[in-house]
Amino acid sequence: MSTHSLIDACSASDVPADVRRETIARLLELAPLEGYNLCLLPDVRFLRSNRPLTRTPVLYDPGIVIVCQGRKRGYLGDELYLYDAQHYLAVSVPLPFSMETDASEREPLLAIYLRLDFNVAADLLLQLERHGDGVTAPPRGMASTRLDAPLAHSVLRFLQTMRDPLEAKMLGPALVREIYFRVFIGEQGGSLRAALNQHGHFGRIARALQRIHAGFAQTLSVETLAAEASMSVPTFHAHFRSVTNTSPIQYIKSTRLHQARLLMARNGLTAAAASAQVGYESPSQFSREFKRLFGGSPTEEVARMKRNFALPDAGPPSLYVSSH
């Protein structure tokens, strides 16, 4: 397994111990329940997990995951992405990968998830360019990056502010913007900014992913997606795989299956109803492909999710389907 995405995994942190302790204390207050806890800001969730999670397929919205206690490991093909108290994860395009976590009742996993606000990101990118901070790094869809002291202090101020409804409303958006800024100027911020700029082949694939998530229940052909990206089908396949580590057809199937799982777990839909709603014409084909991805039947997987997780509400509308 390649570990070049694993950034200084064993290095000592430069974040002061008192900052870490207070960050954990504040997050314990904000995430009293296992699962995803709502925040006063619509694009932020606080996660608490009291048990370990074995490798399971996930699909993240573009966003930032900051783990304050515990450890997560993501696997995209042969690459390992570590995000723990020393590293955060930034995702610029929705990527299907598998994830496992370390957690226990005594030391629960505590994390902050910030779903990316593209308007805020675009404004920051424009201002950075105006100040002469151009992007020279190659774009990447996912990056694990060392958590430095400035970002850790920004996160702590954000958590302190979230304890008071008025402060959260008045100051919270500016502190989220500050966290974005710290990520964009961080060690791998250039690659994230290059990805969000959506230039070149990466940008064409990113727009194809938007197209898939906006119309996953419709009939989507690789030929149409390639034509919309102004690429030949072989070229589109090659660049699509280089970004997502999978083929366009498999990506479309994965998106539909993740969405169907959410519909069954959150909304109580039957497998037949969920499969039809995400674009499957054959319930038996849906069941076979569902079991191939998640390792169990729809009934078994939904029961496992309800048994092991406190599922979040659907939340505000998003451009992308997310499985977490």
Side-chain angles (χ1 to χ4, degrees):
M1 176 178 294
S2 169
T3 56
H4 66 77
S5 298
L6 193 59
I7 309 300
D8 297 331
C10 299
S11 62
S13 172
D14 61 355
V15 178
D18 61 329
V19 172
R20 289 193 178 282
R21 286 193 296 269
E22 188 172 355
T23 298
I24 292 171
R26 299 291 77 78
L27 198 46
L28 283 168
E29 294 176 0
L30 293 165
L33 304 176
E34 187 170 19
Y36 279 86
N37 294 257
L38 294 178
C39 174
L40 292 169
L41 300 182
D43 286 326
V44 180
R45 295 287 186 271
F46 302 122
L47 171 64
R48 179 180 185 141
S49 178
N50 299 332
R51 68 198 84 186
L53 174 69
T54 56
R55 287 178 68 163
T56 188
V58 295
L59 179 62
Y60 275 171
D61 286 345
I64 303 163
V65 184
I66 300 171
V67 176
C68 302
Q69 179 173 276
R71 174 175 293 183
K72 289 191 173 192
R73 290 176 294 274
Y75 301 89
L76 182 64
D78 64 350
E79 294 196 29
L80 168 65
Y81 294 81
L82 175 70
Y83 41 129
D84 57 7
Q86 288 79 41
H87 307 84
Y88 60 90
L89 186 75
V91 182
S92 61
V93 294
L95 296 175
F97 64 105
S98 59
M99 180 191 68
E100 62 186 8
T101 65
D102 297 334
S104 66
E105 289 275 358
R106 182 175 181 180
E107 189 171 307
L109 184 141
L110 300 169
I112 309 166
Y113 170 68
L114 301 96
R115 183 164 58 189
L116 195 64
D117 184 320
F118 286 93
N119 292 325
V120 174
D123 183 61
L124 273 172
L125 295 179
L126 182 60
Q127 292 198 39
L128 285 167
E129 290 178 3
R130 286 175 177 171
H131 285 80
D133 193 347
V135 175
T136 58
R140 295 186 62 187
M142 183 183 296
S144 172
T145 307
R146 185 176 59 86
L147 180 73
D148 58 21
L151 177 55
H153 281 93
S154 297
V155 169
L156 177 55
R157 287 197 301 275
F158 173 75
L159 294 177
Q160 291 168 334
T161 299
M162 289 301 102
R163 301 167 69 195
D164 181 272
L166 180 59
E167 289 192 5
K169 181 178 180 180
M170 301 299 294
L171 303 177
L175 289 169
V176 169
R177 182 184 177 90
E178 180 180 330
I179 291 172
Y180 281 22
F181 171 76
R182 295 295 178 193
V183 170
F184 287 164
I185 65 170
E187 291 180 21
Q188 298 193 76
S191 292
L192 178 61
R193 287 157 56 193
L196 293 174
N197 278 328
Q198 294 199 357
H199 296 319
H201 289 130
F202 188 99
R204 295 183 190 183
I205 298 303
R207 288 187 287 275
L209 298 182
Q210 293 176 9
R211 172 82 165 83
I212 291 170
H213 282 265
F216 60 84
Q218 305 167 6
T219 299
L220 294 170
S221 71
V222 178
E223 291 76 14
T224 299
L225 292 170
E228 291 176 352
S230 299
M231 296 181 185
S232 68
V233 171
T235 300
F236 181 77
H237 263 280
H239 286 292
F240 195 98
R241 184 173 288 278
S242 71
V243 173
T244 66
N245 197 56
T246 191
S247 70
I249 292 299
Q250 289 303 316
Y251 188 96
I252 293 169
K253 286 182 181 179
S254 177
T255 300
R256 288 172 171 166
L257 293 170
H258 278 286
Q259 175 67 357
R261 183 171 69 160
L262 285 179
L263 290 172
M264 290 184 289
R266 286 178 176 165
N267 301 347
L269 267 65
T270 64
S275 67
Q277 193 159 324
V278 301
Y280 274 87
E281 296 181 358
S282 168
S284 60
Q285 180 185 3
F286 169 79
S287 295
R288 288 194 303 272
E289 293 182 353
F290 189 99
K291 187 171 185 179
R292 188 178 303 123
L293 178 62
F294 295 111
S297 69
T299 301
E300 292 168 340
E301 175 61 13
V302 170
R304 184 191 71 84
M305 291 182 70
K306 291 182 176 180
R307 183 173 61 251
N308 294 332
F309 304 104
L311 295 170
D313 294 331
S318 172
L319 176 64
Y320 297 108
V321 171
S322 177
S323 69
H324 67 296

